[in-house]
Amino acid sequence: MEGSQMRVLFLVGLMMVGVPVFAQCPAGIPAGNNPLCIPPDNPSSPYYQPDSDAPNTPSVPAQKWADRWGAIAMDTARDSVGIGVAEMMTSERKAKSTAMQDCQKKGGKQCKVALSFYNQCGVLVWAESGYNTMRAGTVEQATKMGMEKCSSDGLKDCKVYYSSCSYPVRVR
């Protein structure tokens, strides 16, 4: 081979090595803008083009989810202890109201909502001289954050007193 042919082959080889590969879809399925390699004749494919002559096929209805709320109410009176909770309520107002009523039923005199949350979890971390509440996607995450806050606030004997989740519910 001549020197110029070698240089051309070398440059072609470099260009092939430098080409990024983003998706490895099977033959016949376009990869660009199609990260899941969905066949083009599938209605959820970005390349889907319905055939106007084809009879209408029933489509799969979209899933619908409803939010769910939870709340924790605490008694703030010095001579009284009460905690009220609510889980899986359909609105924030219902969750807060239910938690307040629960707190009062348990002897609370000056109940106040300490935390409301939806589509996630809430925890109440209790210590010898105070408490805190946290919310997060899981009880474990909320607990970790609540315990860290308890320690950073200088509170001693921190324990999770209550935890609950109110995740969304599929309605269709």
Side-chain angles (χ1 to χ4, degrees):
M1 271 193 200
E2 291 183 17
S4 63
Q5 287 178 328
M6 290 285 283
R7 277 183 261 163
V8 169
L9 284 175
F10 178 74
L11 289 174
V12 169
L14 279 178
M15 288 180 0
M16 290 177 67
V17 170
V19 175
V21 176
F22 293 103
Q24 297 288 330
C25 294
I29 299 177
N33 195 27
N34 188 8
L36 300 176
C37 297
I38 302 170
D41 59 344
N42 185 312
S44 47
S45 168
Y47 298 100
Y48 179 69
Q49 294 182 2
D51 184 6
S52 59
D53 297 333
N56 288 341
T57 57
S59 62
V60 176
Q63 292 182 5
K64 185 169 177 162
W65 295 84
D67 293 338
R68 289 296 180 256
W69 287 83
I72 301 171
M74 296 292 300
D75 185 6
T76 58
R78 287 188 175 266
D79 62 339
S80 173
V81 177
I83 175 176
V85 297
E87 300 173 349
M88 300 301 288
M89 297 287 131
T90 57
S91 71
E92 181 178 24
R93 183 184 53 76
K94 285 182 183 178
K96 287 179 174 181
S97 173
T98 300
M100 287 289 290
Q101 290 171 10
D102 191 37
C103 179
Q104 291 163 353
K105 278 187 212 172
K106 293 176 180 172
K109 295 177 182 173
Q110 295 177 5
C111 297
K112 292 190 177 167
V113 174
L115 178 72
S116 65
F117 54 94
Y118 73 100
N119 301 341
Q120 57 186 336
C121 303
V123 299
L124 169 65
V125 176
W126 195 271
E128 65 183 38
S129 59
Y131 71 92
N132 73 56
T133 57
M134 282 291 162
R135 65 178 143 249
T138 65
V139 168
E140 292 79 13
Q141 291 170 330
T143 297
K144 181 177 184 241
M145 293 178 351
M147 294 299 277
E148 287 171 355
K149 175 142 179 47
C150 193
S151 293
S152 70
D153 287 349
L155 301 176
K156 297 190 186 314
D157 294 328
C158 303
K159 292 180 177 59
V160 174
Y161 186 78
Y162 173 80
S163 66
S164 175
C165 296
S166 290
Y167 289 125
V169 175
R170 184 175 170 188
V171 292
R172 179 176 57 176

